[in-house]
Amino acid sequence: MPNDVVTMDKIVSLCKRRGFIFPASEIYGGLHNSYDYGHYGVLLKQNVIAQWWKAMIQERDDIVALDSAIIQHPRTWEASGHLAGFSDPLVQCLGKCKRRFREDHLREEAEARGESTDHLVCPVCGGELTEPRAFNLMFETTIGPVKEDGATVYLRPETAQGIFLDFKQVLQFARRKPPFGIAQVGKSFRNEITPGNFIFRTLEFEQMEMEFFVPPAEAPQWHEHWLKERFDWYVNLGIDPEHLRLRPHDADELSHYSSATSDVEYLYPIGWSELEGIANRGDFDLTQHAKFSGEKLDYVDPQTGDRYIPYVIEPAAGVGRSMLAFLCDAYDEDEIGGEQRTVLRLHPALAPVKVAVLPLLRKAGHPEKARAVYEELRRHMKAEYDDGGAIGRRYRRQDEIGTPFAITIDHQTIEDDTVTLRDRDTLEQERVPVEGLARRLLAKLDPGVV
Ligand code: ATP
């Protein structure tokens, strides 16, 4: 367990209670494993993505950004191997419950329990299972008004292929030479057989992927480089390193394109599971697209005249899975003055709201002053104004969404223009002048946070 209090149920219920994330299509009874992101969920998601862009683009000068189409030419998926090979082994229970499972998951679970995998049975009702059948994960749709005459196309199951298709263009307009990377964030879609565990595995999800093109001989060292960079990214954003590990794939686990992959795994309440995959894709993708399209996708070094197809190192992360890890790691419960408190100890960079402004009373000039302070602060950072209910309850509402700072306007504010500044984690309250408040908060937040 990541810490001694968090469970998946508590995260799901906090997310629903505070409108972070909730089931999609709920008025129709929901749609299996689709979720909508509400106000705080959107803000948290934006912050996760912004931190990823910051690490990829702002803090380096060897990566450029791209936003490619979700629906690409159908030949893309022939070349990439997804049409033939992107499938999971599906088994169905022949007993009472008729549920479907991924055979590889059942096998892994049996192995983890130290049981034989010779004869797998349904884990729910103990029934016999069908033989495994390969099930392609890509969602299919049609371009054109008539399905029969239209062209069959696919919703992308990963964002990476759009990057490979544009490799040549980017090489020209970005004036880059290997080693350099192309980064992209966007939705991907997979017709998962066994979705579950909240936003861990969903039908549509956002990915943050970066393809780093390198001279072939340098691939192993760049793979190591990216393993470290990505592991540290999570740690720098507040995840306890004890809850993270790197796990190299066994040879029989490797994807069709990969010569080496390591997963960054997080200790979710469901156990150690993949958070991000970091693969050495070799020259598989560019070679395939060159073959299928007839375009040359190699790189010619203008100085040496060397011609080669670059190798690709790919850190591929999921936005939802990262959010789930950040939420689980930040979740805590403690007691203040005999009352139970739920608090998200989110890194300030990720916190949906950075500061809350709370008038102690709804009279005596407090609301007016509080609004003025709030309107000044919101020019600099995401701030929230709340005058509803007892002050303790308002603090707890902010703690529960991870707001690092709260400012209270009281009688003394009206007299001497000072406020109390409360820290979510230490619970310390200091009296500080309104003058220079934004600067003081910005200094307390890590640089680059807002
Ligand atoms: P898994 O083995 O869990 O199905 P994968 O190895 O197929 O994942 P990749 O193809 O490596 O996943 O995708 C890169 C990242 O995209 C994953 O580490 C994960 O964070 C995210 N991801 C993949 N599939 C899903 C999904 N169905 N729902 C949410 N996130 C996903």
Side-chain angles (χ1 to χ4, degrees):
M1 214 61 96
N3 63 47
D4 53 0
V5 291
V6 71
T7 62
M8 197 64 111
D9 283 348
K10 286 184 183 176
I11 295 292
V12 172
S13 115
L14 171 66
C15 283
K16 176 139 201 215
R17 190 164 73 242
R18 300 311 312 273
F20 277 85
I21 304 162
F22 38 85
S25 306
E26 238 191 340
I27 61 167
Y28 289 106
L31 178 68
H32 95 150
N33 267 79
S34 292
Y35 288 91
D36 291 345
Y37 288 69
H39 183 67
Y40 296 128
V42 172
L43 296 176
L44 174 58
K45 181 153 86 152
Q46 277 183 346
N47 292 342
V48 169
I49 293 172
Q51 287 302 314
W52 188 85
W53 279 123
K54 181 164 174 261
M56 291 292 164
I57 304 283
Q58 186 179 324
E59 292 171 350
R60 307 179 64 106
D61 53 13
D62 54 1
I63 299 179
V64 296
L66 181 75
D67 189 359
S68 71
I70 286 176
I71 298 176
Q72 299 281 2
H73 193 288
R75 293 274 281 166
T76 305
W77 310 109
E78 275 179 61
S80 70
H82 283 85
L83 257 184
F86 192 54
S87 54
D88 285 336
L90 169 73
V91 288
Q92 186 166 12
C93 171
L94 294 167
K96 260 202 229 117
C97 78
K98 308 283 182 238
R99 286 190 205 200
R100 295 194 175 92
F101 304 95
R102 267 173 67 172
E103 195 227 22
D104 54 334
H105 283 174
L106 296 185
R107 199 169 284 283
E108 282 164 20
E109 285 159 20
E111 276 165 8
R113 291 192 299 268
E115 293 170 12
S116 154
T117 55
D118 294 347
H119 182 69
L120 296 169
V121 290
C122 172
V124 177
C125 72
E128 291 295 312
L129 297 171
T130 58
E131 284 298 308
R133 184 163 62 85
F135 174 84
N136 196 293
L137 292 171
M138 284 198 295
F139 280 106
E140 228 177 86
T141 186
T142 314
I143 296 184
V146 185
K147 191 168 190 329
E148 289 68 33
D149 305 340
T152 300
V153 289
Y154 304 90
L155 301 187
R156 66 179 176 200
E158 61 176 29
T159 66
Q161 295 305 322
I163 296 179
F164 298 127
L165 302 195
D166 290 342
F167 168 72
K168 219 172 144 181
Q169 303 248 30
V170 176
L171 207 53
Q172 281 157 10
F173 67 68
R175 296 189 300 115
R176 300 286 155 162
K177 57 178 289 194
F180 83 101
I182 305 178
Q184 152 150 266
V185 177
K187 279 240 163 135
S188 292
F189 305 81
R190 295 184 189 178
N191 196 356
E192 301 275 6
I193 306 168
T194 51
N197 291 319
F198 194 36
I199 54 169
F200 181 82
R201 189 182 302 287
T202 49
L203 302 180
E204 57 180 276
F205 52 96
E206 250 164 301
Q207 288 188 306
M208 307 183 282
E209 293 195 298
M210 195 276 292
E211 310 303 314
F212 202 72
F213 300 90
V214 302
E218 294 176 20
Q221 82 214 40
W222 279 109
H223 194 215
E224 285 304 311
H225 170 89
W226 282 107
L227 291 178
K228 178 162 177 2
E229 286 288 301
R230 297 304 303 147
F231 190 95
D232 291 349
W233 185 78
Y234 293 103
V235 174
N236 291 336
L237 286 172
I239 295 209
D240 182 343
E242 296 282 306
H243 301 155
L244 285 172
R245 70 179 187 195
L246 286 172
R247 190 186 65 83
H249 279 204
D250 296 333
D252 61 350
E253 259 186 288
L254 291 173
S255 315
H256 59 277
Y257 51 73
S258 171
S259 59
T261 296
S262 286
D263 289 341
V264 181
E265 292 192 333
Y266 175 70
L267 186 54
Y268 290 97
I270 51 170
W272 286 105
S273 305
E274 174 177 340
L275 174 55
E276 166 161 356
I278 300 159
N280 177 353
R281 297 180 77 124
D283 61 1
F284 176 84
D285 303 272
L286 290 179
T287 305
Q288 285 292 100
H289 288 302
K291 197 159 99 194
F292 277 69
S293 68
E295 286 278 340
K296 279 207 167 73
L297 296 179
D298 42 12
Y299 173 75
V300 187
D301 190 312
Q303 264 114 49
T304 62
D306 279 357
R307 174 185 288 274
Y308 62 88
I309 296 200
Y311 274 31
V312 174
I313 307 300
E314 174 199 71
V319 177
R321 277 195 204 174
S322 305
M323 286 176 68
L324 190 56
F326 287 125
L327 285 167
C328 290
D329 229 65
Y331 186 95
D332 198 8
E333 290 168 358
D334 59 8
E335 229 185 71
I336 302 179
E339 271 201 62
Q340 174 116 6
R341 163 175 94 140
T342 301
V343 54
L344 284 184
R345 301 191 191 281
L346 285 170
H347 188 286
L350 300 179
V353 177
K354 313 297 179 200
V355 60
V357 183
L358 318 169
L360 191 61
L361 300 176
R362 269 181 156 163
K363 56 182 187 188
H366 294 192
E368 294 76 8
K369 180 67 185 169
R371 274 223 66 98
V373 170
Y374 158 69
E375 283 173 20
E376 169 57 21
L377 289 178
R378 76 179 180 187
R379 295 172 54 231
H380 304 274
M381 66 197 75
K382 182 75 189 83
E384 201 168 271
Y385 173 86
D386 184 5
D387 64 7
I391 190 75
R393 285 195 52 200
R394 279 183 274 160
Y395 281 143
R396 281 196 294 284
R397 278 206 288 268
Q398 294 299 332
D399 292 338
E400 211 177 37
I401 61 162
T403 307
F405 299 109
I407 280 166
T408 310
I409 298 332
D410 56 18
H411 310 292
Q412 202 180 323
T413 313
I414 309 299
E415 284 163 20
D416 65 5
D417 214 31
T418 61
V419 292
T420 52
L421 173 58
R422 172 189 182 266
D423 183 298
R424 173 196 74 196
D425 296 326
T426 63
L427 295 173
E428 264 166 34
Q429 304 209 12
E430 41 171 341
R431 197 88 212 168
V432 298
V434 169
E435 169 90 45
L437 196 49
R439 234 179 306 118
R440 181 183 292 269
L441 286 172
L442 289 171
K444 278 177 177 284
L445 295 162
D446 278 1
V449 157
V450 283

